[in-house]
């Protein structure tokens, strides 16, 4: 049996986050001691590690909940898991495109800045007027 502090340390997850996951049903309510302290099983540690890794990969809590449902029912087809992962990959690729456009825009702004006075600063000019941007970075990847 593990305490919430031990679970937190072993997974790198804050205690408040663990409690939140319990509240929203991603983690089961743990058993409690006579004194009311939470006690977790190895399976809870494994599930929390799954959730944490999913979050690190950018999956939403809803997607993780669906993936956990599949993991809890190993006889089901993994096609839904593949579909969820494909959707996540698409979202990551869209973010990469947007970040690349932002990178180019920032490089251009910096390169065009003469380093003089703020009144003549290209960085400030572009920030004031979006039409000065070469890309429509606001809508890339959507």
């Amino acid at each position: 049996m593990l305490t919430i502090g031990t679970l937190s340390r072993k997974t790198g997850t804050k205690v408040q986050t663990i409690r939140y996951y319990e509240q929203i049903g991603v983690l089961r309510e743990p058993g409690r001691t006579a004194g009311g302290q939470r006690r977790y099983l190895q399976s809870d540690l494994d599930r929390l590690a799954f959730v944490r890794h999913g979050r690190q990969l950018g999956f939403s809590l809803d997607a993780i909940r669906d993936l956990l449902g599949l993991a809890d029912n190993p006889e089901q087809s993994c096609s839904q898991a593949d579909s969820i992962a494909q959707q996540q990959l698409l979202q990551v690729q869209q973010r990469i495109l947007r970040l690349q456009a932002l990178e180019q825009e920032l490089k251009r702004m910096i390169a065009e800045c003469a380093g003089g006075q703020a009144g003549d600063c290209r960085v400030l000019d572009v920030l004031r007027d979006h039409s000065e941007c070469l890309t429509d970075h606001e809508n890339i990847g959507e």
Side-chain angles (χ1 to χ4, degrees):
M1 299 291 262
L2 305 166
T3 66
I4 197 167
T6 301
L7 197 66
S8 173
R9 281 188 300 283
K10 286 185 178 255
T11 62
T13 306
K14 293 180 180 179
V15 169
Q16 298 92 325
T17 303
I18 295 169
R19 289 182 183 140
Y20 173 69
Y21 289 161
E22 290 171 12
Q23 289 173 354
I24 65 170
V26 173
L27 294 178
R28 70 169 184 85
E29 279 288 323
R32 294 186 181 257
T33 65
Q37 289 185 324
R38 291 170 163 89
R39 291 291 186 244
Y40 298 89
L41 303 172
Q42 180 63 41
S43 59
D44 298 317
L45 177 67
D46 295 342
R47 190 171 183 94
L48 182 56
F50 182 105
V51 172
R52 181 151 168 83
H53 192 208
R55 295 297 287 155
Q56 289 170 340
L57 290 170
F59 286 100
S60 69
L61 285 174
D62 286 336
I64 290 171
R65 189 177 281 114
D66 291 342
L67 291 165
L68 284 167
L70 291 167
D72 291 342
N73 296 288
E75 71 284 347
Q76 291 184 350
S77 166
C78 75
S79 63
Q80 186 180 0
D82 290 341
S83 176
I84 293 168
Q86 284 288 338
Q87 182 61 34
Q88 180 59 21
L89 176 60
L90 179 62
Q91 290 175 8
V92 166
Q93 290 169 331
Q94 290 171 340
R95 280 191 297 247
I96 288 170
L97 288 174
R98 184 163 188 269
L99 288 170
Q100 287 172 332
L102 291 174
E103 177 186 33
Q104 292 305 310
E105 195 64 51
L106 288 166
K107 283 180 177 179
R108 184 184 67 85
M109 286 169 46
I110 292 166
E112 291 178 1
C113 187
Q117 296 186 347
D120 299 322
C121 181
R122 184 68 179 146
V123 172
L124 299 176
D125 288 344
V126 173
L127 289 174
R128 269 193 221 63
D129 186 357
H130 186 29
S131 69
E132 294 284 329
C133 291
L134 295 180
T135 62
D136 185 15
H137 50 82
E138 192 172 7
N139 295 314
I140 291 174
E142 292 183 5

